[in-house]
Amino acid sequence: MANAFDRLGYGTYKLADGEECVSGVAHAIETGYRHIDTAQGYDNEASVSAGIDRTDADRDDLFVATKLSTDNLSYDDATATARVSRDRLGVDSIDLLYVHWPIDTYDPEETLPALDDLVDEGVVDRIGLSNFRPDQLDEAIDRLANDVFAHQVECHPLLQQEELRERAAEHDHWLVAYSPIARNRVADVDVLKEIGAAHDASPARVSLAWLLSKERVAPIPKAADFGHVEANWTAREIDLTAGEIARIDALDRGERVVDFEEAPWNRV
């Protein structure tokens, strides 16, 4: 199984197909990122591939993840569209393929065997799930023949996902944190500003450093601005004290930035 997983990834949500995404991915790779996250629903898989090709990076040094759209989760659609995504990404096999949301056409009896078969056939290297409730995650782990490599959910100091982080540690998979700076709501949090001042860092960088301090957590900040991309990368250099981590741990408000009526947590 090639391509090592790098904890701090680069998210491409809302990076428009075309030059914005191509140049964004290329710049992220040149900055140092090796884990690139996209999705069928972002409509930019081909641009992610073009961005990679614009760099001198060896494809074998990169880790590229994508996600099945919610209308592609029947067995036939999942297996067929995964192959299309593989070709759009220009890879021999997809490093990590997620179920983007367990809604719409998601059916554990069809979707999960499709993921297993895609791994067995070499189309996909690793299985991922995204936005699953704890009970849905448990069911999927029980049903899958292959291990779950990652579970991607919104996670940041204002929504800390303790239960799902505990499951990641228990089952030895990664919790991949999207919206890790809560679409910059963290900029208004006094504790994060105070800790940031002590490290000459923004609240966003402090939030990323806090996530990186946690076991089995991998943040994937999305940024189009090149300066933000570079600043996010330097969060790896921030060494938070135990006291600072404890202060951030106390900030959890259960506050989501991604929420809608059909979301799994609203359908219990």
Side-chain angles (χ1 to χ4, degrees), residues 127 129 132-144 146-151 162-175 215-216:
I127 291 172
L129 306 172
F132 279 51
R133 294 191 312 264
D135 62 300
Q136 293 174 314
L137 178 62
D138 290 343
E139 178 190 27
I141 289 171
D142 287 343
R143 281 179 174 266
L144 284 163
N146 291 280
D147 290 338
V148 170
F149 180 81
H151 181 213
E162 183 176 2
E163 185 175 4
L164 291 174
R165 286 193 286 117
E166 288 174 352
R167 272 175 169 73
E170 176 187 351
H171 294 289
D172 200 30
H173 62 249
W174 290 96
L175 186 140
E215 183 182 5
R216 306 296 294 179

Side-chain angles (χ1 to χ4, degrees), residues 49 59 64 85-95 123:
S49 180
R59 284 258 179 168
V64 181
S85 288
R86 176 191 60 183
D87 294 343
R88 278 197 294 250
L89 290 167
V91 295
D92 294 329
S93 61
I94 298 170
D95 292 309
V123 178

